[in-house]
C-alpha cells in the first residue's frame, strides 16, 4: 500500500509538468538501522525517532569552552563498534552549533548541539546532534526528523532494512542545511 502511494506521487508530478527524477522513489528505513560515525568508522545501532526533531548522540564529560572567541564543545564518545566489538572512547572537540532546550518528563534540560557526519546506507550526512549521556538508553544514537527527512520513508514495523553502511571518500555527501 505504501508503494502505491509513492507511485501516484510520481505520476502526479509528471502530470504537473515537473521532472519526476527530482522526486525519486525514496528508500524505506526501519525504526532501527545501523549507522557509521564518520570519519572514525564506528558502526552503531541508531533508533530513527519521528517524535524527535534533532538527532542525539551518547556523549560523556561534556564541557563548553572558548577558542579564538567562539564557543566550542569538548566531549567523550563512548561507543561500542557493532561490527568489531571494540570500544571507541575518544575525546573530541567541535564548534558549538547551538544550544537545545528540551522539556520532558524529567524536567527541562539544555544540551549542546554539534555538527557530525554519519554514514547511512552508502551516503554521508552532516547532521545536528545534541550531546547527552545516553548510557541508560538502548541505542547510543537517535536520528530525529531533520535526518530522517533526508533518508526517505520510515517503516515503524521493521528494523535493519539496510545492509551495513558502506561509505568512503567517494560516497555521496549531503551537507548540513543551516536553515533547518
Amino acid at each position: 500500500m505504501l508503494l502505491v502511494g509513492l507511485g501516484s506521487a510520481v505520476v502526479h508530478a509528471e502530470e504537473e509538468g515537473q521532472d519526476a527524477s527530482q522526486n525519486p522513489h525514496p528508500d524505506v528505513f526501519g525504526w532501527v538501522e545501523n549507522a557509521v560515525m564518520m570519519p572514525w568508522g564506528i558502526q552503531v545501532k541508531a533508533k530513527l525517532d519521528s517524535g524527535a526533531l534533532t538527532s542525539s548522540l551518547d556523549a560523556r564529560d561534556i564541557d563548553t569552552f572558548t577558542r579564538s572567541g567562539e564557543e566550542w564543545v569538548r566531549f567523550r564518545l563512548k561507543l561500542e563498534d557493532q561490527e568489531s566489538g571494540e570500544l571507541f572512547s575518544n575525546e573530541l572537540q567541535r564548534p558549538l552549533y547551538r544550544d537545545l532546550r528540551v522539556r520532558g518528563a524529567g524536567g527541562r534540560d539544555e544540551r549542546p548541539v554539534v555538527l557530525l557526519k554519519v554514514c547511512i546506507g552508502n551516503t554521508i550526512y552532516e547532521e545536528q546532534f545534541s550531546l547527552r549521556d545516553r548510557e541508560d538508553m538502548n541505542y547510543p544514537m537517535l536520528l530525529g526528523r531533520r535526518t530522517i527527512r533526508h533518508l526517505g520513508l520510515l517503516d515503524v514495523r521493521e528494523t535493519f532494512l539496510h545492509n551495513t553502511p558502506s561509505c568512503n571518500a567517494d560516497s555521496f555527501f549531503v551537507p548540513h542545511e543551516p536553515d533547518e
Side-chain angles (χ1 to χ4, degrees):
M1 183 179 296
L2 179 65
L3 296 177
V4 172
L6 289 172
S8 66
V10 172
V11 171
H12 179 70
E14 290 171 347
E15 291 171 356
E16 294 289 321
Q18 299 172 4
D19 181 3
S21 67
Q22 291 178 350
N23 186 16
H25 183 292
D27 284 326
V28 179
F29 289 81
W31 69 274
V32 178
E33 292 287 349
N34 285 312
V36 174
M37 294 297 305
M38 301 300 288
W40 309 282
I42 309 156
Q43 182 178 311
V44 297
K45 288 186 210 173
K47 176 182 177 184
L48 281 69
D49 186 352
S50 64
L53 179 59
T54 304
S55 297
S56 181
L57 184 63
D58 185 19
R60 316 290 167 78
D61 307 324
I62 302 166
D63 183 41
T64 56
F65 65 98
T66 302
R67 176 187 286 170
S68 302
E70 294 184 14
E71 285 191 87
W72 279 62
V73 183
R74 179 182 299 115
F75 57 97
R76 180 170 302 284
L77 293 182
K78 188 174 179 185
L79 302 171
E80 181 180 339
D81 186 292
Q82 295 296 302
E83 196 167 56
S84 70
E86 292 181 26
L87 184 65
F88 180 87
S89 183
N90 290 17
E91 182 180 280
L92 304 177
Q93 297 180 4
R94 292 287 185 269
L96 177 68
Y97 184 73
R98 66 184 177 98
D99 284 311
L100 175 66
R101 289 195 178 111
V102 179
R103 288 180 299 177
R108 293 176 186 251
D109 190 18
E110 190 168 301
R111 303 175 191 162
V113 176
V114 297
L115 296 179
L116 294 168
K117 294 176 184 157
V118 61
C119 170
I120 304 167
N122 59 0
T123 303
I124 299 172
Y125 301 89
E126 182 181 48
E127 297 292 338
Q128 294 183 38
F129 283 91
S130 70
L131 302 175
R132 82 174 277 236
D133 185 336
R134 296 181 56 83
E135 183 175 28
D136 294 333
M137 305 292 191
N138 290 330
Y139 306 99
M141 179 184 290
L142 182 145
L143 298 176
R145 291 189 309 272
R146 282 192 175 101
T147 303
I148 295 170
R149 75 183 198 110
H150 294 291
L151 300 178
L153 300 175
L154 174 59
D155 186 340
V156 298
R157 301 166 300 176
E158 300 290 337
T159 58
F160 303 108
L161 294 177
H162 290 262
N163 294 328
T164 301
S166 176
C167 292
N168 57 41
D170 296 327
S171 295
F172 187 72
F173 175 71
V174 179
H176 171 67
E177 297 175 13
D179 294 337
E180 292 183 323

